[in-house]
Amino acid sequence: MIEFKNVSKVYPNGTKGLDNVNLKINRGEFVAIIGLSGAGKSTLIRTINRMIDITDGNLIVNGKNVKELKGKQLREFRRKIGMIFQSFNLVTRTSVIKNVLTAKVPDIPFIRSIFGIFTKEEKIQALEALDKMGIVDKAFIRADQLSGGQQQRVALSRTLAQNPEIILADEPVAALDPITARKVMEDFKKINREMNISILINIHHVELALNYADRIVGIKDGKIVYDGSSSEVTEEILETIYKGKVEVVA
Ligand code: ADP
């Protein structure tokens, strides 16, 4: 469970990223965060695993008050939260399976991690994660030989190998063509449904958000201006969020 209680974020230069946010997300929800560029979507997503520190209020994730976590506790907390980025963040000069195995590095002895030595069981788990994303046939080729959609699937497999309870995705399909973007959104949906993993996705394509997420959180100037089911989003609500400007995938 994720709970924002009167959370604000003011950046050191005085810019308000989040302004008194109250939000509760239960295990297994698929939530899309929508809003104009600069509205605070990325800030909201990144406070959850403390990539960004909040400046006011409390954020409770999986029973932990996030701002109080330090050192080992914080590292363990982050292990349960997968993160997906627009740019995939793969080591492109190495193989797909080695990319997925990096998810195991925090769990193995330092000396093994230096030499990249993984057990048979760890390798099988990595292959299983790739299989779930339908990309196991690419396991032994270099990541830079893959298309953007395939690379994002490898990033998802790497996240799954971490056994997360929550996946945070910051504009995960923004670099993909519209057809591939839909396929990757279907992968998120599958992960959400079949593995009961909560998904929070920051996405500027309204149509994709409405089609794939169950719940929409609209933000504007760091404030939540809509929170409800995606099937109940009306044109008026979109206007409130976007001041009339709506971006749609072709
Ligand atoms: P979105 O993801 O909706 O585009 P962001 O969360 O990235 O919005 O940004 C929200 C606001 O915070 C914007 O005004 C942005 O310029 C500002 N902001 C984001 N990151 C920083 C930072 N590191 N320093 C100062 N201001 C920032």
Side-chain angles (χ1 to χ4, degrees), residues 95-164:
S95 70
V96 162
I97 189 164
K98 281 191 182 151
N99 270 279
V100 178
L101 282 166
T102 60
K104 298 282 176 201
V105 166
D107 296 333
I108 67 175
F110 181 60
I111 198 79
R112 278 219 276 130
S113 73
I114 291 182
F115 292 106
I117 299 165
F118 297 94
T119 63
K120 189 174 161 191
E121 193 182 313
E122 285 158 355
K123 287 178 193 162
I124 289 171
Q125 282 170 2
L127 290 170
E128 280 171 355
L130 286 163
D131 194 30
K132 279 183 193 136
M133 289 295 95
I135 201 166
V136 70
D137 58 321
K138 303 284 189 288
F140 297 99
I141 69 169
R142 267 170 61 137
D144 57 7
Q145 304 297 303
L146 303 183
S147 69
Q150 289 169 331
Q151 288 195 35
Q152 196 58 296
R153 241 166 246 138
V154 175
L156 273 168
S157 308
R158 181 178 55 189
T159 295
L160 291 179
Q162 194 183 316
N163 287 325

Side-chain angles (χ1 to χ4, degrees), residues 10-218:
V10 181
Y11 285 101
N13 66 0
T15 308
K16 230 172 195 182
L18 295 177
D19 189 358
N20 197 26
V21 165
N22 285 290
L23 180 67
K24 227 185 221 181
I25 293 162
N26 291 315
R27 179 88 199 250
E29 285 199 81
F30 189 159
V31 183
I33 319 289
I34 64 169
L36 286 169
S37 178
K41 305 183 295 297
S42 183
T43 304
L44 187 135
I45 293 265
R46 288 167 188 241
T47 56
I48 295 168
N49 62 352
R50 230 176 90 184
M51 279 175 81
I52 292 178
D53 278 311
I54 62 172
T55 45
D56 227 325
N58 285 290
L59 173 58
I60 314 293
V61 179
N62 293 339
K64 305 262 183 338
N65 194 334
V66 177
K67 67 184 176 191
E68 287 168 4
L69 296 172
K70 289 193 193 78
K72 191 172 175 232
Q73 270 183 319
L74 179 61
R75 285 196 297 277
E76 279 171 9
F77 165 80
R78 284 189 172 138
R79 298 279 300 130
K80 293 278 159 212
I81 305 177
M83 184 89 197
I84 296 287
F85 301 91
Q86 175 176 345
S87 51
F88 325 128
N89 287 16
L90 300 181
V91 183
T92 50
R93 285 170 291 107
T94 190
S95 70
V96 162
I97 189 164
K98 281 191 182 151
N99 270 279
V100 178
L101 282 166
T102 60
K104 298 282 176 201
V105 166
D107 296 333
I108 67 175
F110 181 60
I111 198 79
R112 278 219 276 130
S113 73
I114 291 182
F115 292 106
I117 299 165
F118 297 94
T119 63
K120 189 174 161 191
E121 193 182 313
E122 285 158 355
K123 287 178 193 162
I124 289 171
Q125 282 170 2
L127 290 170
E128 280 171 355
L130 286 163
D131 194 30
K132 279 183 193 136
M133 289 295 95
I135 201 166
V136 70
D137 58 321
K138 303 284 189 288
F140 297 99
I141 69 169
R142 267 170 61 137
D144 57 7
Q145 304 297 303
L146 303 183
S147 69
Q150 289 169 331
Q151 288 195 35
Q152 196 58 296
R153 241 166 246 138
V154 175
L156 273 168
S157 308
R158 181 178 55 189
T159 295
L160 291 179
Q162 194 183 316
N163 287 325
E165 290 174 13
I166 300 168
I167 293 180
L168 307 174
D170 201 356
E171 290 285 8
V173 299
L176 306 176
D177 66 80
I179 293 170
T180 310
R182 280 175 204 285
K183 288 195 182 134
V184 170
M185 289 301 285
E186 274 159 28
D187 293 330
F188 276 104
K189 190 98 189 160
K190 180 175 156 175
I191 290 171
N192 171 250
R193 288 279 143 87
E194 294 178 10
M195 295 168 222
N196 194 34
I197 296 173
S198 313
I199 296 190
L200 261 88
I201 192 163
N202 156 18
I203 185 162
H204 69 272
H205 292 312
V206 179
E207 202 197 313
L208 290 180
L210 296 180
N211 275 336
Y212 292 95
D214 301 314
R215 178 172 166 194
I216 301 288
V217 170

